């Protein structure tokens, strides 16, 4: 269950990162409110997941999901960026495996 909370927290992290861009420096009210709400939900879910998951693991996964968001939002994609993302994702998988021991 805590892993699902963590994945949802990562998805909300992507949402608030996109919202930051849409809010134009918090000058647009609706995107600004949605961004702040996504931030709150993301951090709340992250904190709930850390009740049983180690801090380092939870934070690495949360950040890794956010980094993976570049694929979905038209960021420039090069072989080196994909390699770096693969390293992050393999590190997340390794942390998950080691957390179970």
């Amino acid at each position: 269950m805590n892993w699902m909370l963590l994945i949802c927290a990562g998805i909300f992290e992507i949402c608030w990162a996109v919202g930051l861009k849409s809010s134009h420096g918090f000058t647009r009210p609706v995107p600004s409110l949605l961004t702040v709400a996504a931030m709150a939900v993301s951090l709340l879910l992250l904190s709930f997941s850390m009740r049983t998951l180690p801090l380092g693991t939870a934070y690495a996964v949360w950040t890794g999901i956010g980094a993976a968001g570049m694929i979905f939002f038209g960021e420039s994609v090069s072989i080196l960026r994909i390699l770096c993302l693969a390293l992050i994702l393999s590190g997340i998988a390794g942390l998950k495996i080691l957390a179970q021991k």
Side-chain angles (χ1 to χ4, degrees):
M1 179 64 176
N2 289 312
W3 282 100
M4 291 305 298
L5 291 174
L6 184 57
I7 290 168
C8 289
I11 291 168
F12 275 99
E13 183 199 8
I14 293 170
C15 292
W16 69 256
V18 171
L20 281 174
K21 187 172 184 174
S22 298
S23 72
H24 292 282
F26 292 109
T27 59
R28 299 168 84 194
V30 173
S32 296
L33 289 172
L34 292 173
T35 299
V36 171
M39 287 176 176
V41 171
S42 179
L43 290 174
L44 184 69
L45 293 174
L46 176 62
S47 69
F48 286 161
S49 73
M50 289 192 313
R51 288 180 177 168
T52 59
L53 298 174
L55 177 127
T57 301
Y59 185 71
V61 170
W62 183 70
T63 305
I65 292 170
M70 76 175 196
I71 292 172
F72 303 107
F73 295 107
E75 297 264 333
S76 64
V77 179
S78 69
I79 199 73
L80 288 176
R81 288 186 81 169
I82 291 172
L83 176 64
C84 291
L85 185 57
L87 289 170
I88 291 170
L89 295 176
S90 64
I92 289 168
L95 288 170
K96 183 178 183 333
I97 292 167
L98 294 174
Q100 295 174 354
K101 291 185 177 188

